Amino acid sequence: MHSKKKGNIFIITAASGTGKTTLISRLVNNRPDIRVSVSHTTRAPRPGEIHGQHYYFIDTEKFESLIQEGAFLEHAKVFDNYYGTSIEGVNQLSKQGYDVILEIDVQGAEQVRRTLADACSIFILPPSFKVLADRLRGRGTESEEVVNKRLSKARHEIEQAFLFDYVVVNEDLTTAEADLLHIIKSYRLKQPSQQLFIENLLENS
């Protein structure tokens, strides 16, 4: 995709179990003009994960040197592994005209908002805590103690939703996907996004 108009940056955050990854995957699969930024990580690839598609898998020494170079929009250490969003990677996609989604946690979103004032932030909410609890228990992969810890963490994360530009409730995937797309399309129509078009129109008047 080639375009003179830069794509917008969208920060999408949610509490664990809200269905954010599924929602974003559906949106991107249906929209070739929207891309998800691929993060760097120091953790080992899981079965089926491809370097450059799911993550950029690099060693700790390389990651720490990139931190020193200021190469990341945001980065964090989670369970002894680093995760980070490359400034260059996001800028390349944006310059090609793609709208770029940063699928990151609350901490990462705060870092990006400080760096990119014009990024649009969206928080995905569950319809209720009961639904969230049912979804987490429905996975059948975690003990009740772990589920309760996740719910406690989710409550803390959801409190941060007040800081975001938009809020989407993921009760139904199709509706939530449509809501996300409405936000992205409306953001494309904001004056700064249309500035190049206006200037060209005036030049050729």
Side-chain angles (χ1 to χ4, degrees), residues 95-129:
K95 282 175 185 172
Q96 289 170 359
Y98 293 106
D99 284 324
V100 187
I101 291 174
L102 310 183
E103 186 184 340
I104 49 182
D105 62 12
V106 169
Q107 183 185 353
E110 187 181 344
Q111 290 180 51
V112 176
R113 281 203 309 268
R114 283 201 300 264
T115 311
L116 296 177
D118 56 349
C120 172
S121 59
I122 305 166
F123 202 97
I124 312 294
L125 290 177
S128 68
F129 268 93

Side-chain angles (χ1 to χ4, degrees), residues 24-199:
I24 292 171
S25 294
R26 282 175 59 120
L27 180 68
V28 173
N29 287 339
N30 291 328
R31 299 290 308 195
D33 52 347
I34 302 171
R35 292 284 187 91
V36 178
S37 168
V38 178
S39 298
H40 287 64
T41 185
T42 57
R43 76 158 171 78
R46 292 173 185 149
E49 287 186 330
I50 300 165
H51 178 78
Q53 183 178 330
H54 297 94
Y55 283 97
Y56 292 108
F57 297 99
I58 59 174
D59 61 31
T60 301
E61 186 181 349
K62 174 66 176 170
F63 198 105
E64 289 177 345
S65 74
L66 288 171
I67 293 173
Q68 295 302 315
E69 291 167 20
F72 294 114
L73 269 175
E74 59 84 31
H75 69 275
K77 200 168 190 179
V78 183
F79 303 123
D80 298 326
N81 289 308
Y82 281 115
Y83 294 84
T85 302
S86 155
I87 295 171
E88 185 185 353
V90 171
N91 284 343
Q92 276 184 356
L93 287 172
S94 174
K95 282 175 185 172
Q96 289 170 359
Y98 293 106
D99 284 324
V100 187
I101 291 174
L102 310 183
E103 186 184 340
I104 49 182
D105 62 12
V106 169
Q107 183 185 353
E110 187 181 344
Q111 290 180 51
V112 176
R113 281 203 309 268
R114 283 201 300 264
T115 311
L116 296 177
D118 56 349
C120 172
S121 59
I122 305 166
F123 202 97
I124 312 294
L125 290 177
S128 68
F129 268 93
K130 182 185 182 307
V131 169
L132 185 59
D134 289 346
R135 284 176 184 168
L136 290 171
R137 291 189 180 103
R139 292 174 175 178
T141 55
E142 292 160 342
S143 67
E144 187 63 20
E145 183 187 358
V146 171
V147 168
N148 287 331
K149 278 184 180 175
R150 283 189 177 276
L151 288 170
S152 175
K153 185 185 177 193
R155 182 176 180 82
H156 170 70
E157 288 170 333
I158 287 168
E159 285 170 356
Q160 307 302 308
F162 292 109
L163 302 173
F164 285 67
D165 298 318
Y166 293 90
V167 171
V168 171
V169 178
N170 185 17
E171 183 165 12
D172 170 75
L173 271 171
T174 304
T175 305
E177 182 189 347
D179 287 343
L180 265 184
L181 188 55
H182 283 311
I183 293 167
I184 291 171
K185 283 183 170 180
S186 69
Y187 221 71
R188 290 173 183 170
L189 300 176
K190 289 186 76 171
Q191 184 274 119
S193 298
Q194 296 294 329
Q195 195 167 329
L196 190 65
F197 180 81
I198 298 166
E199 287 169 358

